Each structure stands twice: as C-alpha cells, then as structure tokens.
C-alpha cells in the first residue's frame, strides 16, 4: 500500500510540475477543436503582464489572456525559417497594436520549442521581438501540440473561456497585412 | 500485489515517455528531406583526449574554403569545434542554424566556431545551404573517413561521429569537452559559459 501511494504521489507531482497534460498529442491542433490545456509561466515584466492582461499568479492558461483572439507562433532560435520571417511577425504585432480597434482584441505570443530561457532570450534580442515569447526547453508544450515543425501558427478564439482553434498551419506568411486579414476573417472577430 | 504491479507499469510508462522520447523542433526549411534514424545509443566511442591536453591538429577541406587547419587559429582565437553526426538528420539540422545567429557572442569572446561532420563537401554544401548564410566554416572529415573524429575519440562504430563539443584555447589546449547524448542538442548557454571563462 505504501508503494502504491509513493507511485501515485510521484506521478501526480510530475504531472503538476510539467504544467501540461500528461499525454502528448499525436497530431497538430485541428481547426474547430478546443486547444489542449496549456499552462505557461507568467511573465515577470509588468509591461508583458499588462499586454496579456494577467493579474497575479505564477502560471496562467492560454485562455486567461484577456482578449478575444490569440495568435500563437511556435518557433525556435534554431529554425532558419523562423529567423527569416521574424521581421514579418514583428510587423504583424505592430499592425495589431497600432490599430485601436484591434489591439485589445488580438494578442500575439510565441512559444520557443526546445529552447531554454537563455536561447529564447537570444532569439528575442536578435530579432527585437516585441511580443511575449515563452520558453519550452523540454518540448512539453511542443509535444502537447503534436510536435509540429516550425514556424507553426495557431489561431485561437476565446468563446466563453474556451479556446477554440480556428487556424492551425505550418509555415510562415508572405505579408503581415494579408495574414492579419485572414485571421480576422477566419476568427469571425467583430470589430465594433 | 496486482495493484502494485499496475502502478509500477503505469508510472514506468509515463517516466519513459517523458524522459526518453526524442523531440524535434525541426524547421520547415528542410521540408521532407530529413532522414529520421531510430533512437540511437547516446554515446558509442571512447575519448582519446582530455581537458588539459594539446588538441590534435588537423587540416580539412571546407565548404567555400579550400582547407582549414586548427593550428591557423593558434594565438589568435579560442576555437569551438562542433562535431555533429550526420547531414540531413533531425537534431543536426536543428543545431547549427542557431549558432548562425550568435556570431556576436563568439566575436566578443575572441572565438571561432568550426562545424565538422564526416559527410563529403557536396552533401555539406547542399545541406548547409538550407540553413541560411552561416558565418562559420563547415569542414568535411569525409576522407580518410572520420580520421579527425577518431583522433579525438568520437568516431562511433557505425562511422558517424558523436554530437560533441570541444573548446580549445588560443594556446591550443583543450579546455572543455562535451560528448553529448547523440539524440539531443546541447544548450547554447553551456558553450557560451565555457567560452566566457577563457576571456
């Protein structure tokens, strides 16, 4: 009995520690589905917390970001395509932030698959990334999201606190304005 | 007794899954051209050098440069040698592109990076072309096959090399060795930390 309790405790602690579902996904999130439960470490910097609309807490779930639509970029500092398209993603962020009708309704985050916090910071500094990046050094989130290649984009609409996937696709985009238009169209986001 | 076995098995499966499964954050840049080997034995060779030894010198052909010798950096640069097992494989393809954006860190620490595999020059040319413009030389230890890797003791029994890092100071002395699990990429910060110690 003692051994059983020890094993249960070990499994429970491990599952809680990794901040993600215990079982990994076998495929990428599918359009129309609910995004798997993902917990991220809450940023320390106040401006990033404010951008995400987060209050106190060490961790947060994607759907707790105070907005209607979230665009997630899965990237890596070791990914040439991510490096090459970083300026376009930055432009996407600025198009959203510079539009008063969009800035509170769409948020952009990056998850750095397999990158330590040091490596994630190198990427952020190198490309002057203005939106929040989260390290996923041990590939936990990456596994939950089906071990997609990079860069990969996931569009999420928050409906009554439920994160619904409206876009899930491998590869970058040619033009930030066209990609934003696509996100608006597919999310069904109403601007007024 | 049966319940104990059940939990043993369950926890075992979970632990094995998270601690031993291989993960790749592979870039879309390589499309469908990556060969996925099975999970390989983490290391499969015996080092022939140690920290404090003089690094075995070598001269190898390089992509875009005719030949490069280790000794040409003596008294000038701290040298980081990155051996990767093979071109067109997942972890290797997901390693050097990251080094491609940290030239400033190497410059700051009087460092140069040499990338080496046992692939031939045309293969290395085609493969590294997918990585963007790498600032560091890519050397071929193809012929005599793996001679340099063998002199350091990192040639595996199947003819590829370990995923290994050697840091050699300006005097030509080995200051750091990391023969890494071949299935995993070393953290960049481990290289930077060791390189900074030399300055």
């Amino acid at each position: 009995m003692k051994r059983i309790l020890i094993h249960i405790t070990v499994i429970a602690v491990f599952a809680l520690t990794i901040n993600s579902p215990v079982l990994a996904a076998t495929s990428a999130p599918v359009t129309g589905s609910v995004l798997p439960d993902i917990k991220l470490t809450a940023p320390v910097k106040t401006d990033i917390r404010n951008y995400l609309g987060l209050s106190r807490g060490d961790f947060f779930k994607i759907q707790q970001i105070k907005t209607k639509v979230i665009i997630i970029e899965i990237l890596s500092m070791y990914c040439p395509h991510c490096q090459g398209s970083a300026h376009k993603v930055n432009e996407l962020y600025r198009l959203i932030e510079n539009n008063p009708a969009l800035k509170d309704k769409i948020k952009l985050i990056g998850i750095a698959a397999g990158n330590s916090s040091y490596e994630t910071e190198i990427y952020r500094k190198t490309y002057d990334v203005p939106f929040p990046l989260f390290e996923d050094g041990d590939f936990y989130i990456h596994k939950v999201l089906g071990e997609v290649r990079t860069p990969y984009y996931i569009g999420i609409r928050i409906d009554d606190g439920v994160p619904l996937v409206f876009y899930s696709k491998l590869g970058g985009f040619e033009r930030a304005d066209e990609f934003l238009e696509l996100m608006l169209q597919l999310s069904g986001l109403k601007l007024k | 007794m049966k319940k104990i076995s059940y939990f043993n098995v369950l926890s075992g499966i979970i632990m094995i899954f998270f601690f031993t499964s291989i993960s790749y954050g592979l870039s879309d840049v390589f499309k469908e051209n990556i060969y996925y080997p099975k999970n390989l034995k983490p290391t499969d060779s015996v080092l022939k050098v140690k920290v404090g030894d003089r690094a075995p010198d070598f001269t190898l052909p390089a992509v875009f440069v005719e030949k490069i010798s280790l000794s040409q950096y003596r008294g000038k640069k701290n040298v980081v040698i990155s051996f990767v097992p093979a071109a067109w494989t997942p972890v290797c393809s997901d390693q050097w592109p990251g080094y491609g954006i940290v030239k400033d860190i190497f410059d700051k620490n009087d460092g140069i990076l040499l990338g080496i595999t046992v692939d031939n020059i045309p293969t290395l040319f085609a493969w590294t072309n997918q990585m963007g413009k790498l600032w560091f030389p890519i050397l071929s230890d193809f012929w005599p096959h793996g001679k340099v890797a063998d002199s350091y003791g990192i040639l595996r029994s199947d003819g590829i090399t370990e995923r290994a890092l050697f840091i050699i100071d300006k005097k030509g002395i080995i200051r750091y060795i990391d023969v890494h699990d071949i299935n995993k990429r070393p953290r960049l910060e481990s290289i930077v930390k060791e390189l900074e110690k030399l300055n």
Side-chain angles (χ1 to χ4, degrees):
Chain A
M1 187 62 191
K2 194 177 174 186
R3 283 184 68 189
I4 294 174
L5 287 173
I6 290 170
H7 279 84
I8 291 172
T9 306
V10 168
I11 294 167
V13 168
F14 185 73
L16 287 170
T17 305
I18 62 176
N19 302 315
S20 65
V22 172
L23 295 178
T26 52
S27 62
V30 177
T31 304
S33 68
V34 176
L35 185 76
D37 204 13
I38 293 174
K39 262 189 186 178
L40 296 168
T41 303
V44 176
K45 290 184 179 174
T46 308
D47 57 337
I48 301 176
R49 290 183 81 104
N50 289 342
Y51 171 76
L52 299 172
L54 298 174
S55 50
R56 290 179 181 180
D58 295 333
F59 300 99
F60 71 98
K61 291 183 178 181
I62 294 275
Q63 58 266 39
Q64 288 178 293
I65 297 173
K66 201 175 170 187
T67 191
K68 293 180 185 303
V69 167
I70 302 160
I71 300 169
I72 304 171
E73 181 192 20
I74 312 297
L75 56 91
S76 167
M77 76 158 280
Y78 293 91
C79 158
H81 265 188
C82 305
Q83 297 166 1
S85 62
H87 66 287
K88 292 179 187 173
V89 191
N90 290 352
E91 189 189 344
L92 174 66
Y93 168 84
R94 290 189 188 99
L95 284 174
I96 296 166
E97 285 300 292
N98 292 336
N99 186 333
L102 295 180
K103 65 177 292 188
D104 292 329
K105 292 179 178 167
I106 306 178
K107 298 294 175 183
L108 179 58
I109 66 168
I111 295 175
N115 294 182
S116 64
S117 53
Y118 180 88
E119 292 166 330
T120 306
E121 186 61 9
I122 290 281
Y123 185 88
R124 190 191 66 74
K125 280 183 182 169
T126 303
Y127 299 105
D128 200 17
V129 177
F131 55 89
L133 296 180
F134 297 90
E135 62 100 2
D136 179 30
D138 294 320
F139 291 102
Y140 289 138
I141 298 169
H142 188 244
K143 281 181 176 168
V144 171
L145 295 176
E147 300 190 279
V148 295
R149 290 189 182 189
T150 55
Y152 195 97
Y153 293 90
I154 302 170
I156 306 295
R157 191 180 66 237
I158 308 296
D159 275 0
D160 294 329
V162 178
L164 294 173
V165 178
F166 67 84
Y167 183 87
S168 178
K169 200 172 177 182
L170 173 66
F173 47 83
E174 282 301 310
R175 289 175 52 127
D177 56 347
E178 289 175 358
F179 186 73
L180 177 57
E181 191 59 41
L182 181 66
M183 293 296 102
L184 291 172
Q185 185 192 327
L186 295 176
S187 67
L189 184 66
K190 291 185 174 50
L191 300 181
K192 289 183 180 176
Chain B
M1 186 63 192
K2 276 184 182 176
K3 283 184 179 175
I4 291 173
S5 300
Y6 168 76
F7 282 108
N8 275 331
V9 170
L10 179 63
S11 58
I13 289 170
I14 292 172
M15 294 305 171
I16 287 167
F17 177 81
F18 274 101
F19 287 120
T20 65
S21 64
I22 305 171
S23 292
Y24 308 119
L26 192 60
S27 173
D28 184 42
V29 77
F30 299 100
K31 302 295 178 190
E32 303 303 319
N33 298 316
I34 296 298
Y35 174 78
Y36 288 83
K38 289 180 183 171
N39 199 356
L40 300 169
K41 189 178 170 187
T43 57
D44 181 36
S45 59
V46 179
L47 271 172
K48 294 179 179 174
V49 294
K50 61 182 187 301
V51 170
D53 286 354
R54 180 164 292 283
D57 194 23
F58 56 79
T59 300
L60 287 173
V63 179
F64 301 122
V65 184
E66 195 176 344
K67 296 219 184 259
I68 283 182
S69 299
L70 176 63
S71 56
Q72 73 188 66
Y73 300 105
R74 185 82 47 87
K76 298 172 188 165
K77 295 278 187 187
N78 299 307
V79 180
V80 177
I81 303 177
S82 166
F83 284 94
V84 299
W88 301 108
T89 53
V91 183
C92 302
S93 302
D94 199 33
Q95 184 170 340
W96 288 350
Y99 301 161
I101 64 170
V102 291
K103 181 175 184 294
D104 58 329
I105 295 177
F106 279 80
D107 287 346
K108 191 178 154 192
N109 292 289
D110 267 351
I112 181 72
L113 175 63
L114 302 179
I116 306 179
T117 84
V118 292
D119 299 285
N120 66 10
I121 289 289
T123 300
L124 287 174
F125 172 82
W127 181 51
T128 56
N129 254 348
Q130 309 304 309
M131 299 180 186
K133 195 170 176 61
L134 297 178
W135 60 270
F136 53 90
I138 304 299
L139 284 61
S140 167
D141 191 17
F142 178 68
W143 200 257
H145 189 81
K147 186 182 174 188
V148 174
D150 190 41
S151 70
Y152 282 74
I154 54 157
L155 188 65
R156 293 169 66 105
S157 58
D158 59 358
I160 62 173
T161 74
E162 304 289 1
R163 187 177 312 287
L165 292 163
F166 294 86
I167 300 184
I168 297 155
D169 67 17
K170 292 178 186 173
K171 293 177 181 170
I173 304 299
I174 298 173
R175 300 289 294 271
Y176 176 74
I177 300 173
D178 174 14
V179 180
H180 214 75
D181 179 344
I182 194 169
N183 302 294
K184 294 176 182 174
R185 182 182 59 222
R187 294 283 189 220
L188 175 65
E189 52 267 44
S190 62
I191 302 174
V192 175
K193 185 181 159 194
E194 295 301 325
L195 202 48
E196 284 174 344
K197 282 184 191 170
L198 301 185
N199 258 359

